[in-house]
Amino acid sequence: MNLSRRSFLKWSATLGAMGTGLMSLTACSQNASLTGSEAASAGEQIIPTASTQDCGGRCLIKAHVKDGVITRISTRGAYEEDEPGANMKACLRGRSYRKHLYHPDRLKYPMKRVGKRGEGKFEQISWEEAIDTIAKETRRIFDQYGPESRYCNVGTGDTGGVIYRMGLGGRFLSATGGHLPLYNSVSMGNTGTATPYVYGVAATASSLDSLKDTKLVILWGHNTTETIFGASNYYFRQMKNRGCKFICVDPRNSNTAVAFADEWIPLLPTTDNALMDAMAYVIVSENLHDQAFLDQYVQGFDEEHMPEGVPAHESLVSYLFGKKDGVEKTPEWAEAICKVPAETIRRIAREYATTKPAALIQGWGPQRHSCGERTALGATMLASITGNVGVLGGWAGGYIGLSRKGCVGLPDVPNPYPGAIPTLSWVDAIECPEKVTPAEGLLGVDKLNSPIKMLLNLAGDFIANQNPDINRTIRVLEDESLVEFIVVSDLFMTPSARYADILLPGNTFFERYNIGATWNNGDYFILSQKIVDNYYESRSEYDWLAEVADKLGAKDVFTGGKTEEEWVRWIVDETRAKYPETLSWEELEKVGISKFHYDGPRVAFQDQIEDPVNNPFPTPSGKIELFSKTLYDMHNPEIPAIPVYVPAWEGPEDELTEKYPLQLIGWKTKARDNSTFYNNPWLQQAMVQEVWINPMDAKPRNIVTGDRVKVFNDRGTTMLQARVTSRVIPGVIAAPTGSWFTPDGKGGCTNGNLNVLTTLRKTALSHGNTQHTSLVEISKL
């Protein structure tokens, strides 16, 4: 529409080169050692930058640019090798960014829907028409229904930047009158909510360099080699070379277990607490616990250290030895539940208790279950009874978050609306808002006076792909009497984009300025630089939201009088004022990365352990609360006061197993970031969408490797290829998450998406994600 002939020819030539003449991923890696002088002589610029994807790492990458086109990507060079833990090499996904940037299927122009919602039928419009339509509908819906009718959904395609697109959507809605916000992370909301009941705060991790002399690490559902969780892989490899023993507890023999584990311990999903309880039983019954530590720092271990007003036999020790229910939590008791042999339980319990120091590090997969909060707290219990909290080389368990320095953020635009809903409640808030009550996680207000009528979905595939129970979700979205207006901005025609009324072409991190903000153990940030022009008519959401806000009289509130680049410069300057070691903008343009300085490793709760009088834990008792009086007073059997085993709904003890006998779990893969990169051709070669099934489950179903199978339950059906392997425990099937939902018109998916099978039912405490709790059956097609 507004594209010059010159721009059209440039992009056509670029895409043609991508298809015919550019190097493979392997070749790019082999040629990534080109020196700066060699690049200069070849007419190239090498520009450091970082992605702002929702990945567990934040790697400095180098874009090789010639004639305004990125010709290849190289990764960390010699000058960073002294600090590899602070600046990781790009993974498989990072090395494939060019295929993402120059993919021929990228959205090129603004479009409006012309068919039924969800059909994917659109026609091209101008940016002027798109902005006018969004402004008109934003004003109409606000005037007719009020602020709570407007909602910006989760956008996991771009949460690794200080300026992130979902945040921009909320900022725009706040600036124009208010909106219904969300809370609670899909990824780790259960852990983040539960952990403060033990320690008083959510962030309980130590820095990875504190593990240098750790003798034993138990990785509990923590698949770092594929998720690239901080700098874990670098440190774990160094530790392994120094003789540290690794044990992986996981239903699946993950790539991390293959890479690091001296032993893989498979268990049934949702039974983690049974294994943890039995380990605690062994430790206490054999007098391997740290009684002095427990006496001084812990509430609730035994009857002598309980809060006032609690009846007898509510302590951890009373539970372990059956003082209340008559059942001792022996390894034999646990074996029947979790399927880990009793002697294995005894051995690993003794090893963990007697190896000093030891670290039990839990990933985020185990907490994405109906029992997720209890599982997260079980790790804190084992760390506490062995005295591994607040000591160098230990690990406190719970949420893997680290208190550290970081960039300042954008100044908030206050939201006039006081309420908020859990992340997974948005479908109810559309279809049956009367069910979204304070008891179900509604905050700030007593009820919702309006259902959601306007939906912004920016850089996210959550509304029709990553959200649980897709079939229910799309039925709601297809009903135009419910949500009246949906705006989607993305790079591709994703499953969620098909449900847009106005569909806009977003741009990549190569086409805008931002700060690559690290999470977990990243003590640095990277300037994410604008390197190339926007692809066709793609635009930053900041720019077009500013134009819509202008039409609604709120541009100055939304922008604060700054462009996106000016805000990024402001963030650098303000961060430098707070932390003088921060590099200047000019320095960042050259080297990309700015590192924060520390005197040494950081150990969570070291101050509380070394000086408890002046540094009590920020809990009601001032101690570690293995027994939480706050949880006890809730009187909810799914939220026990101590982290104990409670059979999960849709778990192995549920009566539903008579109809659906297999537990389904998904895993994050090296080839995707949630569903981002699903259509990247290099990454599709790196991984097959297949479901793992143990030979003991495959044989009676006559399934062999390579068979096309269907996995189904009452919520839906998905079809994919089978792989028969002993790398998954009997009773469990597992498949990669993030494939794109491809409906067959009968409630099924032909492409192996798991979310036609998952549930929108939430956890009891945090009202959080339970996507890994699904009972299914599998059969050969």
Side-chain angles (χ1 to χ4, degrees):
M1 298 289 290
N2 297 313
L3 187 69
S4 69
R5 173 177 171 80
R6 178 180 177 185
S7 295
F8 177 82
L9 292 174
K10 182 191 79 169
W11 285 117
S12 299
T14 299
L15 294 174
M18 287 292 295
T20 59
L22 295 178
M23 296 175 287
S24 69
L25 178 61
T26 302
C28 281
S29 300
Q30 290 172 343
N31 290 319
S33 59
L34 188 69
T35 66
S37 59
E38 289 171 332
S41 64
E44 281 189 342
Q45 284 182 286
I46 301 178
I47 304 175
T49 191
S51 86
T52 53
Q53 310 293 154
D54 180 37
C55 61
R58 188 64 58 227
C59 306
L60 186 142
I61 61 171
K62 298 172 183 178
H64 293 243
V65 184
K66 186 173 183 178
D67 298 329
V69 174
I70 297 176
T71 60
R72 62 191 179 92
I73 297 293
S74 63
T75 186
R76 199 182 73 220
Y79 76 93
E80 295 105 347
E81 292 290 353
D82 291 338
E83 298 183 74
N87 184 21
M88 298 167 288
K89 278 188 176 179
C91 68
L92 195 64
R93 298 184 291 266
R95 291 167 186 259
S96 71
Y97 285 151
R98 275 176 59 258
K99 281 290 186 179
H100 196 59
L101 169 66
Y102 294 128
H103 198 298
D105 292 343
R106 272 190 66 182
L107 298 177
K108 300 175 178 65
Y109 314 103
M111 294 184 286
K112 68 179 180 182
R113 175 172 61 87
V114 294
K116 293 181 179 180
R117 191 181 283 163
E119 280 188 316
K121 294 181 179 179
F122 296 89
E123 69 177 18
Q124 183 180 338
I125 59 175
S126 67
W127 269 107
E128 181 180 7
E129 181 180 348
I131 288 166
D132 284 344
T133 303
I134 296 169
K136 177 183 175 182
E137 288 299 297
T138 300
R139 179 182 288 116
R140 178 187 69 81
I141 289 171
F142 179 84
D143 291 344
Q144 186 171 350
Y145 300 107
E148 63 207 286
S149 66
R150 308 189 305 175
Y151 183 78
C152 184
N153 214 336
V154 173
T156 58
D158 179 62
T159 58
V162 174
I163 300 175
Y164 59 102
R165 304 179 198 204
M166 181 185 77
L168 292 175
R171 185 182 183 89
F172 162 76
L173 294 175
S174 292
T176 56
H179 65 107
L180 178 65
L182 60 86
Y183 71 91
N184 213 352
S185 166
V186 175
S187 297
M188 49 69 186
N190 296 326
T191 299
T193 299
T195 303
Y197 287 95
V198 176
Y199 294 123
V201 295
T204 62
S206 300
S207 58
L208 288 170
D209 57 353
S210 73
L211 298 176
K212 178 180 178 182
D213 296 317
T214 299
K215 303 297 190 297
L216 172 67
V217 171
I218 300 177
L219 297 177
W220 203 294
H222 198 24
N223 184 22
T224 61
T225 63
E226 295 194 84
T227 58
I228 316 298
F229 207 96
S232 300
N233 294 328
Y234 167 76
Y235 283 107
F236 289 171
R237 178 57 57 194
Q238 299 304 309
M239 291 160 62
K240 188 149 184 79
N241 290 342
R242 288 192 291 267
C244 179
K245 180 175 181 178
F246 282 81
I247 296 173
C248 282
V249 179
D250 201 308
R252 188 178 68 94
N253 190 5
S254 67
N255 284 5
T256 301
V258 172
F260 294 113
D262 296 276
E263 183 174 11
W264 167 49
I265 298 176
L267 82 169
L268 291 178
T270 75
T271 68
D272 306 72
N273 283 104
L275 175 55
M276 292 169 170
D277 292 348
M279 289 175 64
Y281 177 91
V282 172
I283 292 168
V284 176
S285 65
E286 297 185 6
N287 200 32
L288 301 177
H289 58 291
D290 191 333
Q291 188 66 54
F293 181 93
L294 292 162
D295 288 343
Q296 185 169 4
Y297 301 109
V298 178
Q299 171 186 276
F301 172 71
D302 52 29
E303 295 296 314
E304 289 71 38
H305 297 85
M306 293 289 288
E308 292 184 6
V310 178
H313 307 314
E314 295 289 347
S315 68
L316 177 64
V317 169
S318 294
Y319 163 77
L320 294 176
F321 291 93
K323 298 298 184 182
K324 185 175 181 180
D325 61 6
V327 178
E328 292 193 60
K329 309 312 180 291
T330 64
E332 287 74 18
W333 165 83
E335 179 180 358
I337 297 169
C338 67
K339 306 309 177 187
V340 178
E343 284 309 307
T344 300
I345 297 173
R346 286 191 174 88
R347 175 170 49 77
I348 62 171
R350 291 165 182 160
E351 276 193 84
Y352 178 63
T354 59
T355 304
K356 302 293 183 181
L360 191 159
I361 306 175
Q362 192 177 83
W364 289 349
Q367 62 91 60
R368 294 186 188 121
H369 280 284
S370 59
C371 60
E373 296 125 348
R374 300 190 296 275
T375 302
L377 296 185
T380 71
M381 179 263 292
L382 287 173
S384 296
I385 67 173
T386 56
N388 275 302
V389 178
V391 297
L392 189 67
W395 201 265
Y399 168 59
I400 306 177
L402 179 66
S403 295
R404 59 179 177 84
K405 301 174 185 176
C407 292
V408 302
L410 293 184
D412 289 335
V413 172
N415 181 9
Y417 181 71
I421 61 173
T423 301
L424 295 183
S425 292
W426 67 278
V427 178
D428 282 341
I430 294 171
E431 187 178 34
C432 43
E434 67 280 359
K435 292 184 179 180
V436 185
T437 65
E440 293 300 316
L442 178 64
L443 298 179
V445 294
D446 295 330
K447 64 177 182 177
L448 296 178
N449 293 315
S450 170
I452 293 170
K453 290 294 185 179
M454 175 181 175
L455 190 62
L456 290 182
N457 193 76
L458 310 181
D461 201 9
F462 203 73
I463 64 174
N465 198 74
Q466 297 301 95
N467 197 60
D469 198 351
I470 290 178
N471 284 318
R472 181 196 168 193
T473 303
I474 63 174
R475 285 195 299 269
V476 169
L477 295 175
E478 287 170 353
D479 187 344
E480 296 178 39
S481 70
L482 296 175
V483 180
E484 297 179 7
F485 187 57
I486 300 176
V487 179
V488 174
S489 176
D490 214 317
L491 303 182
F492 299 99
M493 183 66 74
T494 65
S496 294
R498 296 171 64 87
Y499 289 85
D501 298 310
I502 295 292
L503 178 57
L504 304 174
N507 62 7
T508 70
F509 65 89
F510 289 117
E511 298 157 299
R512 64 200 296 173
Y513 281 98
N514 206 339
I515 297 292
T518 60
W519 47 278
N520 193 39
N521 278 275
D523 294 319
Y524 59 93
F525 69 87
I526 303 174
L527 176 62
S528 185
Q529 303 196 57
K530 176 178 172 63
I531 294 173
V532 295
D533 292 336
N534 285 330
Y535 182 85
Y536 286 83
E537 291 188 21
S538 65
R539 296 183 69 186
S540 164
E541 289 79 5
Y542 184 93
D543 291 340
W544 63 258
L545 283 169
E547 292 188 25
V548 178
D550 190 27
K551 288 185 175 292
L552 298 176
K555 181 177 181 180
D556 288 344
V557 178
F558 175 74
T559 67
K562 290 182 173 64
T563 66
E564 192 168 34
E565 180 185 346
E566 287 169 344
W567 273 121
V568 177
R569 289 176 178 269
W570 179 89
I571 289 168
V572 172
D573 291 341
E574 291 297 306
T575 303
R576 195 176 189 197
K578 186 176 182 180
Y579 303 116
E581 68 263 35
T582 302
L583 298 186
S584 68
W585 180 271
E586 291 73 22
E587 291 169 318
L588 283 167
E589 285 184 310
K590 296 176 182 178
V591 302
I593 187 168
S594 183
K595 301 171 185 177
F596 295 111
H597 298 162
Y598 290 93
D599 294 333
R602 281 143 293 145
V603 176
F605 308 121
Q606 186 172 19
D607 291 343
Q608 284 80 4
I609 298 306
E610 293 182 351
D611 186 3
V613 174
N614 294 311
N615 299 287
F617 283 88
T619 59
S621 66
K623 295 187 175 186
I624 299 169
E625 295 195 353
L626 289 188
F627 177 96
S628 169
K629 182 69 162 52
T630 305
L631 295 181
Y632 180 80
D633 289 340
M634 293 181 183
H635 304 293
N636 187 328
E638 285 195 61
I639 312 172
I642 54 176
V644 302
Y645 175 69
V646 178
W649 44 263
E650 290 207 38
E653 298 184 54
D654 194 316
E655 293 180 358
L656 189 60
T657 54
E658 294 181 10
K659 183 177 182 181
Y660 298 116
L662 298 173
Q663 293 179 268
L664 170 69
I665 59 171
W667 79 84
K668 303 287 185 181
T669 81
K670 60 181 177 289
R672 297 172 202 152
D673 175 6
N674 299 314
S675 64
T676 304
F677 306 123
Y678 169 75
N679 61 340
N680 187 306
W682 282 348
L683 299 181
Q684 286 182 334
Q685 293 178 45
M687 198 202 71
V688 176
Q689 185 68 17
E690 59 186 7
V691 59
W692 290 12
I693 180 170
N694 187 277
M696 294 177 63
D697 296 316
K699 185 174 181 180
R701 294 169 174 83
N702 195 32
I703 294 171
V704 298
T705 295
D707 280 347
R708 185 83 173 160
V709 297
K710 67 175 181 178
V711 183
F712 58 95
N713 60 18
D714 290 340
R715 291 181 286 269
T717 301
T718 195
M719 287 154 273
L720 68 171
Q721 181 176 303
R723 179 185 178 189
V724 180
T725 174
S726 58
R727 288 182 64 182
V728 65
I729 188 174
V732 177
I733 61 173
T737 61
S739 64
W740 282 6
F741 172 58
T742 308
D744 64 358
K746 305 173 184 177
C749 173
T750 61
N751 197 36
N753 186 291
L754 304 185
N755 283 322
V756 295
L757 307 165
T758 56
T759 178
L760 276 165
R761 186 173 174 181
K762 297 177 283 294
T763 59
L765 178 60
S766 62
H767 310 287
N769 183 10
T770 65
Q771 277 176 289
H772 288 330
T773 302
S774 298
L775 288 174
V776 298
E777 180 57 285
I778 185 171
S779 65
K780 187 174 179 178
L781 282 173

